Amino acid sequence: MKYTEDHEWLRVDGDVVVVGITEHASTQLGDVVFVELPETETKVAQGDEICVIESVKAASDIVAPVDGEIVEVNDALTDNPGLVNQDPTVGGWFFKMKVEDMSQLDALMDEDAYNDMID
């Protein structure tokens, strides 16, 4: 897995990455009460705002960690946004995207570097 400074995780599956937020981020947000997901087939550039997460504490944006196209969203979050808190790295993923340039992943952190950042 790869990690961003915005507390997103990316799991690579071929030329697609699954994107969610880390357990650290979900804990900091508190109970997630709403998630606005992107539309599939949306082309995004690294840094574009893609999702909105609302919790009891704050609203946050999820940004595109790399350039690509949204190919799938986790519709389960519409009915149960709390999945982000319950299972942030498996059931609480936000979207899958087809990556334009896999080399962009090289600039992201590995787990050790991410853990160093949050400590």
Side-chain angles (χ1 to χ4, degrees), residues 10-86:
L10 291 79
R11 186 171 40 249
V12 179
D13 184 14
D15 64 348
V16 171
V17 293
V18 183
V19 179
I21 62 170
T22 64
E23 186 172 340
H24 174 78
S26 72
T27 300
Q28 295 297 310
L29 278 172
D31 292 336
V32 174
V33 296
F34 175 77
V35 176
E36 180 183 324
L37 296 168
E39 297 289 324
T40 56
E41 300 181 4
T42 301
K43 293 197 181 292
V44 297
Q46 187 175 37
D48 286 355
E49 293 177 3
I50 299 180
C51 295
V52 175
I53 307 169
E54 293 181 12
S55 72
V56 294
K57 291 183 180 178
S60 298
D61 294 318
I62 299 296
V63 299
V66 292
D67 299 336
E69 179 180 349
I70 305 298
V71 294
E72 186 178 343
V73 296
N74 187 355
D75 289 324
L77 296 181
T78 303
D79 295 328
N80 186 4
L83 284 172
V84 174
N85 299 112
Q86 296 163 9

Side-chain angles (χ1 to χ4, degrees), residues 67-113:
D67 299 336
E69 179 180 349
I70 305 298
V71 294
E72 186 178 343
V73 296
N74 187 355
D75 289 324
L77 296 181
T78 303
D79 295 328
N80 186 4
L83 284 172
V84 174
N85 299 112
Q86 296 163 9
D87 194 10
T89 57
V90 180
W93 60 276
F94 290 97
F95 55 87
K96 295 180 181 181
M97 62 186 298
K98 185 171 182 157
V99 178
E100 279 184 22
D101 180 3
M102 294 300 276
S103 70
Q104 285 185 310
L105 298 173
D106 296 340
L108 302 178
M109 292 179 274
D110 63 14
E111 187 172 6
D112 288 339

